[in-house]
Amino acid sequence: MRFLKYIYILLLVAAVSNVAAQDPVKTEEKAVTEEIEVVRPYKPVLAEAVKLRRSPDLNDVKTYKAKFNYSLSDRRLELNSDINKLKAQEVAPAREEELTNNYVKGAFGTAKTIFGEAYANIGRDEALQAGAFFRHFSQSGKLNKQQSDQQTLSAFGRSITDNNTFSGRVNFQRHGLFFYGFDENAIVHPEPEKQVLNFFEAEGEVVSKYTEDPDAFSYAAKINGYVWGDRFNAGENSVILNGYLNKRIKSFNLGLASSVELGKTKDSLSVGNNIFKLNPHIKLQTNGIVIKAGVNFVQEFGDFSSTRIFPAVTADFTLIPDYLQIYGEVKGDVDRNSLKHFTDENPFLNRNISIKNTIEKLNISGGIKGTAGPGFGYKARIYHRQIEDMPLFVNNYYEPNKFDVIYDFGTMKLVGLEGELSVQISDALKWTGKLIFEDYKPASESQSWFKPQMRLSSDLSFNITKELTMEASVAVQDDSKAKIYTAAPPRPYFVPVLQNERVVTVKGFVDLGAGASYRINEKFAAFLRVNNLLNSNYNRYLYYQTIGMNIFGGLSYSF
């Protein structure tokens, strides 16, 4: 403030000096003509910022306290941050897709081929299913009485409840044929006899439903019975009971499987070969490892009596999930032979067939399986089997166009290699193939009769368009050996007399097939099939040529 006063004094002094310095002569000579009116004395005004002190006053400690008035209310805090749920909008009910799981087919063609097939199902109810199936197929070749006709009629039902699944079926099969085979070098060719094979079967089963409970208890039971007969009054009946119990304890499974096979074959003699089996086992399944270990107790009773115990061990190791698994098995068993089993393999069977069981003393196998990408699966295994009383077919000495069953007395050894491939690039292309190599070392016989070393089968399906589908198949079989008696064999037959027999070769074959189907509309389709494209008259069994190339086609109707 003192500094500002000095400035004001200096300004006043300068103003007075300026007035005193004017020329006195001129002042006197000139008259004063201006009038000055003084309103108020000059009072300088300073800005508020100039009045501030340079330094704050530290002694000023007085504080200001504002007075507030509070009004509290008791209210609940509501959070409205949740997202409001959308209400589903009702849409019009979708139209159920029309089912076309029923169909009928009919076709005819060369070689007097007649084909008919029908299938019917009750509908879309998954908990209750029932249906029926019928098929007829007949053909005739160029040879005398080279005829065959087969009929199948079956019905099935299945019901799924909350805890169990019940299923059952009945099945009837008929196969009519003639013993048309003959030796071209024989002087006399007898008129072929007719044969008719009839088979009726009934089966019922109950299975507990699967549950995720780690301590679940599961069970299954099945009963199967059949009656078989032929035109020459040979007959056979069988009843098979199977039961299974399993208790799951986390990663372990304690199981017990059992079966009873009761059967009697009646021809010139009546033979009863019954088998009781008991298989207790324990199963471990964890971290890609599945090991099942147990024993197989087998008791034969009836016309044959023996008691045997075999190992029953399987193991499966997952090295790369879904891509590579290694598995192995060691087991043994007793197989019950029957006329039904033999005629399924070779329908040209003679009368008065010897019936006895076959013992698989040891079966060791191991291999790999998995996938190599989407749609590509593979499986390969190698196995070694020791088989006692292996059944083999041989031509009868008196009627060479009929086959007897002999048993390789002793233990036959078999080493085999089996491989399978499955490729499905898309729904339009599917291919499967299977190859089997087997090396038999008979016990007492000189050859394993009618057992080829190599068999190959393959199927291909390709959808060219949505309507047109092409199919192809191939079956390849290596040479096999057959026995021709030069003198009557001993009866009953046990050990072969090598000087009274000779070995002939049944040549292998390649059978190519092709087919096509065209979908006309949602209901109708046309199909065509060509069998034995190479038109080769090969033999599956000695003296029995197959029908050459044959073509048949027809229509199918779905509803």
Side-chain angles (χ1 to χ4, degrees), residues 448-473:
S448 55
W449 313 117
F450 296 109
K451 299 293 184 182
Q453 287 192 338
M454 186 273 292
R455 287 172 290 166
L456 170 67
S457 61
S458 179
D459 294 283
L460 175 67
S461 176
F462 178 55
N463 296 335
I464 299 177
T465 64
K466 185 178 180 181
E467 294 81 14
L468 182 60
T469 301
M470 302 294 294
E471 297 178 347
S473 63

Side-chain angles (χ1 to χ4, degrees), residues 149-192:
D149 62 276
Q150 300 181 55
Q151 295 83 33
T152 300
L153 177 62
S154 62
F156 68 90
R158 183 180 64 179
S159 175
I160 302 176
T161 63
D162 294 337
N163 300 318
N164 302 293
T165 298
F166 299 90
S167 60
R169 66 184 178 95
V170 292
N171 181 34
F172 172 76
Q173 296 178 1
R174 179 187 178 277
H175 189 185
L177 54 95
F178 287 87
F179 293 97
Y180 66 89
F182 63 93
D183 184 2
E184 297 179 353
N185 299 321
I187 300 175
V188 180
H189 297 162
E191 184 68 14

Side-chain angles (χ1 to χ4, degrees), residues 171-173 197-202 224-230 234-239 264 339-340:
N171 181 34
F172 172 76
Q173 296 178 1
L197 307 174
N198 295 308
F199 172 72
F200 178 78
E201 178 187 29
N224 176 280
Y226 73 81
V227 177
W228 178 94
D230 70 357
E236 185 175 75
N237 56 74
S238 173
V239 175
K264 178 172 289 188
L339 292 178
K340 174 63 170 61

